[in-house]
Amino acid sequence: MARMSEPLAVGRVIGDVLDSFTPTTKMIVSYNSKLVCNGHELFPSAVTAKPRVEIQGGDMRSFFTLVMTDPDVPGPSDPYLKEHLHWIVTDIPGTTDATFGREVVSYEMPRPNIGIHRFVFVLFMQKRRQSVNPPSSRDHFNTRTFAAENDLGVPVAAVYFNAQRETAARRR
């Protein structure tokens, strides 16, 4: 699975959001059966409701934390507000999906205003259940700091998609 992190490096997710890591768990993210693939574009109108996030790996005794952020706020050329937190689900049992976890920060749909934004899903394996504390704010979130403060270690999986503001013509 080591080659799985290469698109994350090309898309600057590794560097801007995460340090280099080797994926050890398979995570499948989909919006209405549309699979999220690294670097592919999804329209904001297609991602209004929270996605289905399946975890393949681990077992019912392992628990995971899912984080979704936008490192390009307010725009990719000057992301001075980065990262903006869109979603956190904790205590997700292995071999299930995020609906079995505990949503500690509710899903906020992507609404990019300027340029093309990356929306990053990061999965961490927890050392124990109910050990993750929610951040105080969605703004100026830092995935690395959040992982360190909650003793989550390195990510076990990550994937991202791109989105940009939809004009009326693009929605048709």
Side-chain angles (χ1 to χ4, degrees):
M1 275 201 193
R3 297 184 63 82
M4 296 285 292
S5 64
E6 285 180 16
L8 297 172
V10 171
R12 294 183 345 269
V13 169
I14 294 190
D16 290 352
V17 179
L18 303 169
D19 294 325
S20 188
F21 73 99
T22 301
T24 57
T25 302
K26 185 169 182 171
M27 173 176 63
I28 301 167
V29 181
S30 58
Y31 286 92
N32 296 322
S33 75
K34 184 152 180 74
L35 195 62
V36 172
C37 297
N38 285 320
H40 289 202
E41 183 174 4
L42 294 176
F43 294 121
S45 59
V47 296
T48 57
K50 63 179 99 169
R52 178 174 171 82
V53 180
E54 297 174 64
I55 299 168
Q56 297 176 347
D59 53 43
M60 291 303 284
R61 293 182 311 268
S62 354
F63 292 94
F64 296 88
T65 291
L66 173 72
V67 174
M68 178 187 178
T69 71
D70 175 357
D72 299 315
V73 177
S77 61
D78 186 20
Y80 63 88
L81 294 174
K82 73 171 163 183
E83 298 166 45
H84 182 78
L85 178 62
H86 280 268
W87 196 29
I88 294 180
V89 182
T90 66
D91 298 333
I92 306 167
T95 71
T96 66
D97 63 65
T99 60
F100 291 93
R102 184 171 62 101
E103 190 175 65
V104 295
V105 175
S106 62
Y107 181 78
E108 180 182 283
M109 67 179 252
R111 286 186 296 252
N113 284 321
I114 305 165
I116 299 170
H117 289 236
R118 296 164 293 166
F119 293 90
V120 183
F121 294 91
V122 185
L123 189 68
F124 297 95
M125 184 180 279
Q126 295 171 215
K127 297 205 176 7
R128 63 194 174 288
R129 238 180 126 184
Q130 298 180 338
S131 60
V132 177
N133 297 312
S136 57
S137 171
R138 288 182 186 262
D139 295 319
H140 299 287
F141 180 80
N142 185 294
T143 301
R144 289 179 184 98
T145 303
F146 175 78
E149 288 172 350
N150 288 284
D151 197 23
L152 294 172
V154 297
V156 296
V159 67
Y160 80 100
F161 68 91
N162 294 324
Q164 59 186 311
R165 186 175 182 180
E166 282 181 84
T167 62
R170 289 187 80 200
R171 274 188 227 117
R172 279 188 250 141

